[in-house]
Each structure stands twice: as C-alpha cells, then as structure tokens.
Amino acid sequence: IGFLFGSAIFFTALSAVALQYMSPVTVARVADAEAIAEARRVAAERKAAQATDASRRGSALTNKGSAPVNRTSLTLTQQMSSTPQQLLAQPCAVITESSMPFPRVTLVFQDLRYFVPNPSYTGNGKGKEAGSVPVRLELLKGITGHAEAGQLTALMGGSGAGKTTLMDCIAGRKTVGEITGNILVNGHVKEQ
C-alpha cells in the first residue's frame, strides 16, 4: 500500500513539472488602436463601395430576380501571407434578398388543437373510475402564433411542453389523431 501511495505522489509531481515546462508561454495581445481604426475605415469604405455597386447592378437583374455575385477566392497561402488590412480590402460576395434560392414564406397558425386517442380508455366503461376517462386527449390546446419571413423565431418551453408536437402538427407529420384550427402559408390555407 505504501508503494502505491508513494508512486501516486511521485507521478503526480512529475506530471505537474512536465506540464509546466512543456506548455507554451501565452502572451495576451492587445489590439493596436491605430490598426483597429484603420480596419474600421477600410471596412466602411468597402461597405460604401458595395452599396454603390449594388445600386448600379440593381437595373441589371436577371429574370429570376437575383443579382450577380462577385466571388473572389484566395488560396490558403495567400490568406496566410496577407495582413488583416489586405484581407479587408478584398472584394466580398454581395448577397441581396432577391438572390435567395427559395421563396419567402410567412406562416400563421390559429387556434391549433391536436387530439390523440387515450390509451387508458378501454371502451367498455370499466377503466379507471368509469366515465371519468376521456376517449381522446387534447395535447395542443388553442395555440396561436406566426413566423414572419426573414425573422428569427424561437419556440421555447420546458421539457414535455409540446414544442415538437406543435412543429410536427404545423409540418403535417402527425399521422395519428386529429388536428383542428387554421394553418396559413403566405395567406393560403395549408393542405394537410
């Protein structure tokens, strides 16, 4: 037992010494205020140039309504040898709302209710306290909400609150039970 105790102390101390000498020295670097100001100035100039370029290209949209995208690719060695100011000066891809590859969708759901068969209901009236067991359970009770195109929407709730059930009902993935209420996609009734 003494050998194991001594070995544990010895190897712990040896590991601490080895880690102390093998770890690289890290020095906290504070950004130079002049470099930050220069980078901000270059970024503002680039943004202004992109805005004027985008307004010039606004009349040259294709039939699909998408603006041409200017792509500049740098190799890894070019990126590593470039200074941050040189990287900021490179033209970037300009993506406008009209270049989205999918249509914008606004989703509205009103008084959404979801009923499922009750597994405790036996149908012969001899279940738990006959007459008090409902034939079906209401999992979603009058849920109303909307999700606008281009907006981030968070669906939050505790465990078992019905978040996945709500999303499955809206997406039409539920095959058991009955869904009632209105689901509108861009103002049109969604076909379930």
Side-chain angles (χ1 to χ4, degrees):
I1 297 228
F3 176 73
L4 290 175
F5 185 68
S7 297
I9 291 175
F10 173 73
F11 285 114
T12 302
L14 183 66
S15 299
V17 170
L19 288 173
Q20 183 65 30
Y21 286 109
M22 293 178 66
S23 66
V25 177
T26 56
V27 178
R29 295 183 63 198
V30 178
D32 183 22
E34 295 164 358
I36 292 174
E38 178 66 20
R40 286 183 179 159
R41 185 188 61 76
V42 169
E45 289 174 0
R46 187 184 71 221
K47 186 175 181 181
Q50 287 177 349
T52 57
D53 189 40
S55 65
R56 275 188 243 139
R57 283 190 278 169
S59 60
L61 295 178
T62 61
N63 290 338
K64 292 183 179 179
S66 63
V69 176
N70 182 14
R71 292 186 178 93
T72 302
S73 60
L74 296 176
T75 64
L76 183 59
T77 55
Q78 288 173 331
Q79 289 177 4
M80 291 177 69
S81 65
S82 299
T83 64
Q85 288 80 12
Q86 290 171 338
L87 287 176
L88 287 174
Q90 295 293 327
C92 298
V94 177
I95 300 174
T96 61
E97 289 186 32
S98 60
S99 65
M100 296 289 234
F102 48 86
R104 297 172 62 94
V105 174
T106 299
L107 177 72
V108 176
F109 46 97
Q110 300 169 334
D111 195 33
L112 199 61
R113 297 177 183 274
Y114 178 52
F115 299 92
V116 294
N118 187 352
S120 299
Y121 181 75
T122 59
N124 57 11
K126 297 181 181 177
K128 301 175 189 170
E129 299 178 18
S132 67
V133 179
V135 177
R136 60 187 191 163
L137 299 173
E138 187 175 9
L139 298 184
L140 297 178
K141 301 178 181 186
I143 308 294
T144 299
H146 70 282
E148 296 179 23
Q151 296 290 321
L152 177 66
T153 303
L155 177 62
M156 302 184 340
S159 178
K163 301 176 295 292
T164 305
T165 302
L166 174 63
M167 295 304 290
D168 287 345
C169 287
I170 292 171
R173 295 178 56 189
K174 290 294 187 186
T175 57
V176 176
E178 178 186 358
I179 301 170
T180 62
N182 297 321
I183 301 174
L184 306 171
V185 179
N186 286 343
H188 302 287
V189 177
K190 179 180 180 290
E191 298 293 328
Q192 292 279 359

